[in-house]
PDB file of all heavy atoms in Angstrom:
ATOM      1  N   ILE A 904     -13.115   5.178  -9.731  1.00 65.00           N
ATOM      2  CA  ILE A 904     -12.420   4.014 -10.233  1.00 65.00           C
ATOM      3  C   ILE A 904     -11.749   3.225  -9.154  1.00 65.00           C
ATOM      4  O   ILE A 904     -11.682   2.042  -8.952  1.00 65.00           O
ATOM      5  CB  ILE A 904     -11.471   4.235 -11.369  1.00 65.00           C
ATOM      6  CG1 ILE A 904     -12.298   4.529 -12.674  1.00 65.00           C
ATOM      7  CG2 ILE A 904     -10.561   3.102 -11.646  1.00 65.00           C
ATOM      8  CD1 ILE A 904     -11.387   5.085 -13.814  1.00 65.00           C
ATOM      9  N   SER A 905     -11.101   3.992  -8.324  1.00 66.00           N
ATOM     10  CA  SER A 905     -10.297   3.558  -7.188  1.00 66.00           C
ATOM     11  C   SER A 905     -11.006   3.145  -5.948  1.00 66.00           C
ATOM     12  O   SER A 905     -10.410   2.631  -4.970  1.00 66.00           O
ATOM     13  CB  SER A 905      -9.050   4.481  -6.864  1.00 66.00           C
ATOM     14  OG  SER A 905      -9.623   5.655  -6.363  1.00 66.00           O
ATOM     15  N   GLN A 906     -12.301   3.477  -5.924  1.00 64.00           N
ATOM     16  CA  GLN A 906     -13.076   3.241  -4.641  1.00 64.00           C
ATOM     17  C   GLN A 906     -12.480   4.100  -3.595  1.00 64.00           C
ATOM     18  O   GLN A 906     -12.408   3.495  -2.470  1.00 64.00           O
ATOM     19  CB  GLN A 906     -13.191   1.803  -4.317  1.00 64.00           C
ATOM     20  CG  GLN A 906     -13.940   0.958  -5.427  1.00 64.00           C
ATOM     21  CD  GLN A 906     -15.366   1.279  -5.476  1.00 64.00           C
ATOM     22  OE1 GLN A 906     -16.117   1.362  -4.540  1.00 64.00           O
ATOM     23  NE2 GLN A 906     -15.834   1.741  -6.753  1.00 64.00           N
ATOM     24  N   PHE A 907     -12.236   5.454  -3.767  1.00 62.00           N
ATOM     25  CA  PHE A 907     -11.613   6.175  -2.810  1.00 62.00           C
ATOM     26  C   PHE A 907     -12.470   6.371  -1.662  1.00 62.00           C
ATOM     27  O   PHE A 907     -13.778   6.431  -1.659  1.00 62.00           O
ATOM     28  CB  PHE A 907     -11.443   7.658  -3.403  1.00 62.00           C
ATOM     29  CG  PHE A 907     -11.217   8.715  -2.268  1.00 62.00           C
ATOM     30  CD1 PHE A 907      -9.982   8.770  -1.638  1.00 62.00           C
ATOM     31  CD2 PHE A 907     -12.154   9.682  -2.114  1.00 62.00           C
ATOM     32  CE1 PHE A 907      -9.780   9.780  -0.689  1.00 62.00           C
ATOM     33  CE2 PHE A 907     -12.016  10.553  -1.032  1.00 62.00           C
ATOM     34  CZ  PHE A 907     -10.836  10.712  -0.502  1.00 62.00           C
ATOM     35  N   CYS A 908     -11.892   6.390  -0.347  1.00 61.00           N
ATOM     36  CA  CYS A 908     -12.711   6.474   0.884  1.00 61.00           C
ATOM     37  C   CYS A 908     -11.862   7.483   1.606  1.00 61.00           C
ATOM     38  O   CYS A 908     -10.745   7.374   1.921  1.00 61.00           O
ATOM     39  CB  CYS A 908     -12.676   5.232   1.669  1.00 61.00           C
ATOM     40  SG  CYS A 908     -13.625   5.244   3.187  1.00 61.00           S
ATOM     41  N   GLY A 909     -12.636   8.605   2.075  1.00 58.00           N
ATOM     42  CA  GLY A 909     -11.961   9.758   2.655  1.00 58.00           C
ATOM     43  C   GLY A 909     -11.249   9.509   3.972  1.00 58.00           C
ATOM     44  O   GLY A 909     -10.303  10.289   4.281  1.00 58.00           O
ATOM     45  N   GLY A 910     -11.555   8.438   4.651  1.00 49.00           N
ATOM     46  CA  GLY A 910     -10.892   8.165   5.948  1.00 49.00           C
ATOM     47  C   GLY A 910      -9.632   7.397   5.703  1.00 49.00           C
ATOM     48  O   GLY A 910      -8.879   7.176   6.664  1.00 49.00           O
ATOM     49  N   GLU A 911      -9.249   7.016   4.562  1.00 53.00           N
ATOM     50  CA  GLU A 911      -8.035   6.277   4.215  1.00 53.00           C
ATOM     51  C   GLU A 911      -6.960   7.226   3.814  1.00 53.00           C
ATOM     52  O   GLU A 911      -7.106   7.966   2.771  1.00 53.00           O
ATOM     53  CB  GLU A 911      -8.341   5.161   3.208  1.00 53.00           C
ATOM     54  CG  GLU A 911      -9.346   4.155   3.727  1.00 53.00           C
ATOM     55  CD  GLU A 911      -9.675   3.136   2.616  1.00 53.00           C
ATOM     56  OE1 GLU A 911      -9.136   3.227   1.519  1.00 53.00           O
ATOM     57  OE2 GLU A 911     -10.476   2.310   2.914  1.00 53.00           O
ATOM     58  N   SER A 912      -5.807   7.145   4.336  1.00 46.00           N
ATOM     59  CA  SER A 912      -4.669   8.048   3.950  1.00 46.00           C
ATOM     60  C   SER A 912      -3.678   7.315   3.103  1.00 46.00           C
ATOM     61  O   SER A 912      -2.744   7.912   2.526  1.00 46.00           O
ATOM     62  CB  SER A 912      -3.950   8.568   5.217  1.00 46.00           C
ATOM     63  OG  SER A 912      -3.432   7.449   5.977  1.00 46.00           O
ATOM     64  N   GLY A 913      -3.744   5.999   2.909  1.00 50.00           N
ATOM     65  CA  GLY A 913      -2.850   5.262   2.029  1.00 50.00           C
ATOM     66  C   GLY A 913      -3.148   5.437   0.586  1.00 50.00           C
ATOM     67  O   GLY A 913      -4.209   5.949   0.198  1.00 50.00           O
ATOM     68  N   ALA A 914      -2.251   4.947  -0.193  1.00 51.00           N
ATOM     69  CA  ALA A 914      -2.403   4.962  -1.711  1.00 51.00           C
ATOM     70  C   ALA A 914      -3.471   4.065  -2.176  1.00 51.00           C
ATOM     71  O   ALA A 914      -3.270   2.800  -1.863  1.00 51.00           O
ATOM     72  CB  ALA A 914      -1.076   4.743  -2.393  1.00 51.00           C
ATOM     73  N   PRO A 915      -4.407   4.361  -2.888  1.00 53.00           N
ATOM     74  CA  PRO A 915      -5.405   3.483  -3.495  1.00 53.00           C
ATOM     75  C   PRO A 915      -4.772   2.629  -4.548  1.00 53.00           C
ATOM     76  O   PRO A 915      -3.875   3.046  -5.349  1.00 53.00           O
ATOM     77  CB  PRO A 915      -6.535   4.416  -3.935  1.00 53.00           C
ATOM     78  CG  PRO A 915      -5.881   5.668  -4.270  1.00 53.00           C
ATOM     79  CD  PRO A 915      -4.790   5.802  -3.244  1.00 53.00           C
ATOM     80  N   GLU A 916      -5.351   1.459  -4.772  1.00 55.00           N
ATOM     81  CA  GLU A 916      -4.933   0.683  -5.842  1.00 55.00           C
ATOM     82  C   GLU A 916      -5.394   1.210  -7.205  1.00 55.00           C
ATOM     83  O   GLU A 916      -6.403   1.843  -7.252  1.00 55.00           O
ATOM     84  CB  GLU A 916      -5.426  -0.832  -5.724  1.00 55.00           C
ATOM     85  CG  GLU A 916      -4.992  -1.592  -4.535  1.00 55.00           C
ATOM     86  CD  GLU A 916      -5.539  -2.879  -4.441  1.00 55.00           C
ATOM     87  OE1 GLU A 916      -6.284  -3.354  -5.364  1.00 55.00           O
ATOM     88  OE2 GLU A 916      -5.228  -3.595  -3.457  1.00 55.00           O
TER      89      GLU A 916
END
Side-chain angles (χ1 to χ4, degrees):
I904 289 173
S905 65
Q906 295 296 302
F907 163 71
C908 184
E911 298 174 357
S912 58
E916 295 182 4

